[in-house]
Amino acid sequence: MTENGLGKKTASFLDVKHVGETVASAPPAKRSKLSTVVNLLEARTAVQESENELAEVVIVCEPEQASLMMGGLHPRGSLYERPVNMDIAKQQHAEFRKVLREHGLRVLTVREILAHNIDTNMSARVDLEELVFEALTYKMAAGHETTALTEADQYYLSDVYKREVISAMSTTQLIDTIMVNPTVSLVPSYRDTGLTASYTFEPLSNLVYTRDQQITTCKGIVMGRLRSVQRQREVRVMRFCFNKLGMAVAGEVREPGFLEGGDFFPMSRDLCMVGIGLRSNLAACQQLMEEDLLGTRRLAVVRDDFDQHQDRMHLDCVFSVLSDSCCIMLEDIMGEASPTRRLVDEYLRDPATGKYKLSREGVEFSAFISGEGYSIIPISHEHQLQYACNVLNLGDSRIVSVHPASARQIVRDPRFAGDVQVIDFSSITSMYGSVHCASQVVKRVPRTVAH
């Protein structure tokens, strides 16, 4: 068994090690800017055509170490729903990873990807040090000027000194620095070492929700742009992970676009959906279409014009795909008379020009979904608040849920022919998300390949 660089052995890390050994005999390739640890996709891009295809590779981020601890100090200011018990959250997330592996998925965690090969591969070590260099800031404290320091002490504010410090760090130190984004403020002390430091941090307390920093489409991984300022650094860390794993990034959303992964649903090779409202916006959808990053003939933009509530911040808070012909949906948003209804604008890609054009506008969401051949199992408002809609489909209607009552409702419905496994995720949901939020499936087996 292999150490993960964090002082312990974990089963999920074996997925990284196993895949690395599988491709070890492949011919060497020229090293890119970031050293490739493993190529999970065996020279193919990441792909996800439908939420009901067999999930093969998933990236998660275990809730541990300083970033979660800092977020828990003030849950509301850290975008959490309620206070969180860190030890229970770690246990529940470990069980979640175990369930995914038991279903045959390769489970890769952010910390393990960052740590992999650092102690044996200098290229991997230097790449990680560069990411740390971006995360760590040295500056003079407010009200103090650099000129107050002696020439010798000014060295300790320099990039040269910062690189010297980083080069001496352990793997654990490097990763923790990335996760907490520290700023070291210095004042002259005129005694001892001549300097006194104070510290501020901008922890990545929400990185446990690896759904949001990107989407995986028919064309591959597209990096998003997060609405919350304190979450925007997460995109840089996730992109580093994809580069290290050899997963090509097909594109990225730029200003003024905002795109969060909880608003994206791949429905088929023909159709994908993006919710817009509180988090994602139309500008991002336009970029996805203009740069041909979707790979589908149609895009359904699901507009949240009337609700825009934190409890229903993403499309995956009110909707999910259970099979090729069955889904769940918050009943409160269904129907033309609903004051919180969602409306769909459908865009159609012209095969001659490759450009998308608006083909239908303002279609009520449940009517649109029914028109696509889906039966809808309605979820009550009470159950939606307990994350009943935020389920993870592992393919072929194998569903992971965190809500027993709605799980019973689903399996009792004659229109659903799959399985639902319920896990306790209560400490993770304290941070305002559930199993769909806490997973980024970067590879599903396309139907054409599976068949």
Side-chain angles (χ1 to χ4, degrees), residues 141-162:
H144 296 269
E145 301 293 334
T146 306
T147 53
L149 299 177
T150 66
E151 185 175 344
D153 283 343
Q154 288 181 24
Y155 166 75
Y156 297 106
L157 274 171
S158 69
D159 288 349
V160 174
Y161 181 65
K162 184 162 69 167

Side-chain angles (χ1 to χ4, degrees), residues 9 18 32 69 81 104 200 264 398 419:
K9 300 179 178 70
H18 167 72
S32 61
M69 182 277 293
E81 183 177 3
T200 55
F264 177 74
R398 297 174 301 152
D419 296 307

Side-chain angles (χ1 to χ4, degrees), residues 293-312:
L293 296 173
L294 299 170
T296 54
R297 188 177 67 91
R298 294 182 296 150
L299 168 65
V301 177
V302 185
R303 292 163 25 208
D304 175 10
D305 293 344
F306 311 110
D307 190 13
Q308 297 200 14
H309 193 283
Q310 174 70 12
D311 289 338
R312 295 167 293 281

Side-chain angles (χ1 to χ4, degrees), residues 365-393:
F365 185 35
S366 65
F368 177 86
I369 289 296
S370 296
E372 294 297 315
Y374 285 87
S375 298
I376 302 173
I377 300 175
I379 299 297
S380 70
H381 175 73
E382 177 189 0
H383 288 175
Q384 183 273 330
L385 290 177
Q386 299 173 60
Y387 299 92
C389 291
N390 197 271
V391 302
L392 179 60
N393 190 336

Side-chain angles (χ1 to χ4, degrees), residues 95 99 103 391 399-408 410-411 419-425 435:
E95 178 63 22
V99 167
H103 281 275
V391 302
I399 308 300
V400 179
S401 171
V402 302
H403 188 249
S406 62
R408 288 188 176 89
I410 290 169
V411 298
D419 296 307
V420 181
Q421 182 169 353
V422 179
I423 64 172
D424 185 357
F425 220 49
V435 286

